[in-house]
Amino acid sequence: MRLIQITPVVIMIALLGIGAAAAADSQAEILKEKSRAAAASFQDTLRGHLMSAMKAGGTLAAIGACRETAPEAAAKASEAAGATIKRTSLKVRNPNDAPDAWEQATLEQFAARKAAGEKLATMEYGAWVDGPKGRVYRYMKAIPMGEKCTLCHGKTIAPAVQAKLHELYPQDRATGFAPGDLRGAVSITWPATQR
């Protein structure tokens, strides 16, 4: 008799658990879509600034533009999306862009996925992560190394460009890349209130 009374309770708890998991999955898909759009918009904005600077003043102007406009673009993109948006890499130019533990693990996962043959152009990863302020949704989108990017991030860099990079970024590690390499990723963290 007791088994009959417990069974409906157990069934209800199981159904509630399934419902909660489905809601979390649905919210994750919504945030992944929002993340894709925010990452693409952020990258397009940065690319536009860099190409304009390069066209106006060459590679040295692009270095200055990247140094000045990248943080501004990240701040504006973050405000527009309602999330924290930044770029990071396994080999950063600016120490302020160093990956946290989750980003580091995701970048290493991206490198392994690329080594296994997956294309960087569509590579992404998103997950719910427990953090100091609660559970948040985190997303990363891989950034493939482009041909023009080799002027500042490649294996062979012009002496004047190297000198400017050393002046602005004495701890620079973001060189030695070839087109098609994993340059880094856009990282997006949604606030816990979005869940």
Side-chain angles (χ1 to χ4, degrees):
M1 196 70 149
R2 285 177 79 146
L3 185 59
I4 294 171
Q5 290 176 341
I6 294 173
T7 303
V9 171
V10 170
I11 291 171
M12 283 301 283
I13 290 171
L15 290 175
L16 288 173
I18 291 168
D25 288 346
S26 174
Q27 185 67 17
E29 277 305 309
I30 291 167
L31 290 173
K32 184 178 269 190
E33 287 300 320
K34 286 182 174 184
S35 296
R36 284 181 183 138
S41 176
F42 175 55
Q43 284 292 96
D44 288 346
T45 298
L46 285 178
R47 192 176 301 109
H49 286 300
L50 289 174
M51 292 300 111
S52 293
M54 189 169 280
K55 190 174 184 179
T59 305
L60 294 177
I63 293 169
C66 188
R67 180 179 170 93
E68 294 169 17
T69 62
E72 289 175 18
K76 286 180 182 176
S78 295
E79 185 177 338
T84 301
I85 301 176
K86 69 177 228 181
R87 292 180 304 165
T88 191
S89 177
L90 293 171
K91 293 170 54 174
V92 295
R93 175 148 286 162
N94 182 339
N96 294 333
D97 297 332
D100 64 22
W102 186 85
E103 291 166 333
Q104 176 84 23
T106 303
L107 286 163
E108 290 170 358
Q109 175 198 108
F110 284 177
R113 288 166 60 184
K114 181 189 181 304
E118 189 174 341
K119 296 194 182 308
L120 289 173
T122 56
M123 194 176 295
E124 64 182 351
Y125 179 70
W128 290 108
V129 178
D130 291 322
K133 295 183 179 177
R135 191 172 172 138
V136 296
Y137 185 78
R138 298 197 70 181
Y139 171 89
M140 287 180 73
K141 172 76 174 96
I143 301 171
M145 180 71 173
E147 184 70 43
K148 287 189 177 187
C149 302
T150 59
L151 296 170
C152 295
H153 295 284
K155 295 179 181 183
T156 304
I157 299 173
V161 174
Q162 281 182 326
K164 187 67 170 176
L165 289 171
H166 183 69
E167 174 192 329
L168 297 175
Y169 303 101
Q171 299 175 330
D172 182 19
R173 294 184 14 219
T175 59
F177 292 97
D181 284 351
L182 173 62
R183 172 62 194 94
V186 174
S187 178
I188 302 177
T189 302
W190 294 91
T193 56
Q194 292 290 319
R195 183 160 184 249

